[in-house]
Amino acid sequence: MVTLFLALVCAQVLLLAPATATTAPATATATPATATVAPAAGTPVVRLPRPTGVLPVATTAVHVVDQSRVDPWAPSPRLRELMVQLWYPTWTTRGARAEYADVEVTRSLEAALGAPRDSLRVITPNAVRDGAAVPVRLPLVLFSHGYAGSRATGTALAEDLASHGYLVAAVDHTYEAAAVRFPDGRVIYHGLPPEDDIAAAIRVRADDLSTVLTELLRRRLVDPRRVAAVGHSAGGATAFEAARTDRRIHAALNLDGGLTSPVAPVPVPALLLTGAWHFDSWTEWASVQRSWGRHLAVNTMGHYSFTDAPYYVEPGNLRALPADVFAELFGTVSPTRAVELQRTYVRAFVDRWLRGVPTAVFDREVARYPEVEIR
């Protein structure tokens, strides 16, 4: 429980300091399959909601090494290494279904939440593993997880975007993520950065997104005119920072990510989508933002409602948490509604700014979503 509260607190005290994006070449390799721990016999699976688009979805993991950076968190000098999960449209639904995450990841998340060991192994995504990608350059959504989170925790959102023709690249921020398994079998668990240096973490994270963008452009997988950064909590602050430091990013979306002064404007269209609470720093951001910007607040959402975590509640027995803690983390919204809201507003945002699809959902209330307030 201590880890859980630290994660929540740190999410709300993020400093957005200037950073320099890296554009140096990176190398990448595919990741071999790893051993899995299956749910106990007879345990019902928890299937994430089906994507709403018409395209089948596949996913694969990619290992990226940035040849230009020494990892600032590594105990001894070594190049910055990242694991990246890609979701993308494919031609077929045939093939093995992907697992939700490595067992080291689910066990780390379980420990942070106080959930039973291997209870999250029942979480089941929709994408097929390592399916063939459609041979076109796609609009890209870079995704950054929350403090001590994982690239897996935005799977329901990523699958949906891919089903509508996006490439989604979710980055594990090494040493800060819950756990990261590399192709050679190494597993690096969450341990850094120190709590008093979150600003440095945001700079490193923003550079991570730029590294991955460089690699995907090198592979000719991305339409360079259509790139957005999205993130949850510390990842939301990262999305804003990456858009400030890397001109190749054309839009940024922050899902319930706290900010602290001095708050800088984002030079591209930027959306802040949060729970019902309010922080002065969000008002400060609104006052300095000069490009298109909106703040939408959802009065039923908790901090983790903007991830897959609502689907952890039943298998993880998380309703046993104190009522006030549960409400802070998961709100009052059902898992199905939480995912619907995430998907609807994130896709409307990226469709608007990467594809030019008009929408009014950011400028007036929508009868179908009365819980969303435009601030």
Side-chain angles (χ1 to χ4, degrees):
M1 288 303 298
V2 173
T3 303
L4 178 64
F5 284 112
L6 284 178
L8 187 60
V9 170
C10 287
Q12 305 305 334
V13 291
L14 302 174
L15 176 63
L16 295 190
T20 302
T22 177
T23 57
T27 60
T29 58
T31 305
T34 60
T36 62
V37 174
T43 303
V45 300
V46 176
R47 179 70 55 81
L48 294 177
R50 292 183 181 276
T52 62
V54 299
L55 300 171
V57 177
T59 187
T60 195
V62 175
H63 177 212
V64 177
V65 181
D66 189 335
Q67 301 290 338
S68 72
R69 280 194 294 161
V70 174
D71 194 321
W73 311 130
S76 59
R78 62 182 305 138
L79 295 176
R80 180 70 169 167
E81 293 182 73
L82 303 167
M83 291 304 301
V84 183
Q85 196 72 30
L86 303 181
W87 287 269
Y88 48 90
T90 184
W91 295 121
T92 178
T93 57
R94 297 181 64 182
R97 190 181 301 275
E99 70 170 350
Y100 185 65
D102 288 327
V103 66
E104 294 85 1
V105 174
T106 53
R107 286 178 176 172
S108 293
L109 296 174
E110 289 155 3
L113 292 166
R117 184 179 173 90
D118 294 330
S119 57
L120 301 187
R121 301 308 296 169
V122 302
I123 306 298
T124 306
N126 297 278
V128 297
R129 187 177 65 230
D130 302 328
V134 295
V136 296
R137 295 189 185 188
L138 299 170
L140 172 67
V141 176
L142 296 161
F143 187 85
S144 177
H145 61 73
Y147 184 77
S150 167
R151 70 184 194 261
T153 55
T155 294
L157 175 61
E159 289 185 333
D160 193 65
L161 288 170
S163 78
H164 289 274
Y166 287 92
L167 171 63
V168 181
V171 183
D172 264 339
H173 300 289
T174 312
Y175 290 97
E176 192 188 333
V180 187
R181 174 185 283 277
F182 289 98
D184 61 5
R186 284 175 299 133
V187 179
I188 296 178
Y189 291 93
H190 169 73
L192 290 169
E195 293 174 55
D196 60 356
D197 203 8
I198 299 298
I202 299 302
R203 291 193 293 270
V204 172
R205 284 164 157 265
D207 286 349
D208 289 346
L209 295 192
S210 291
T211 294
V212 172
L213 174 55
T214 295
E215 174 61 24
L216 297 178
L217 287 169
R218 185 190 69 81
R219 292 184 174 208
R220 303 176 68 85
L221 299 176
V222 175
D223 181 343
R225 301 165 299 174
R226 298 187 290 174
V227 178
V230 177
H232 169 249
S233 194
T238 301
F240 276 16
E241 179 72 354
R244 280 195 290 268
T245 59
D246 193 330
R247 294 184 178 181
R248 300 173 298 175
I249 296 173
H250 305 110
L253 196 159
N254 179 338
L255 297 171
D256 211 46
L259 312 171
T260 58
S261 297
V263 177
V266 182
V268 296
L271 174 64
L272 183 61
L273 182 63
T274 73
W277 41 81
H278 195 80
F279 294 95
D280 291 342
S281 61
W282 292 345
T283 301
E284 186 179 350
W285 171 74
S287 71
V288 300
Q289 181 68 5
R290 295 294 174 262
S291 296
W292 185 98
R294 297 289 187 275
H295 178 186
L296 274 60
V298 189
N299 62 29
T300 57
M301 300 277 264
H303 187 60
Y304 289 168
S305 299
F306 297 91
T307 71
D308 300 333
Y311 286 90
Y312 304 169
V313 170
E314 296 307 324
N317 193 31
L318 299 181
R319 293 194 185 278
L321 291 170
D324 58 338
V325 174
F326 184 91
E328 181 97 5
L329 300 181
F330 300 103
T332 59
V333 67
S334 71
T336 302
R337 184 67 165 180
V339 167
E340 181 183 2
L341 287 160
Q342 286 180 57
R343 289 174 166 182
T344 297
Y345 282 90
V346 173
R347 186 160 61 85
F349 178 77
V350 294
D351 277 353
R352 170 66 183 85
W353 296 109
L354 300 190
R355 287 175 163 161
V357 178
T359 181
V361 300
F362 305 115
D363 297 305
R364 63 170 180 258
E365 293 182 357
V366 178
R368 186 174 177 181
Y369 303 111
E371 62 267 59
V372 180
E373 172 195 355
I374 299 173
R375 292 182 175 173

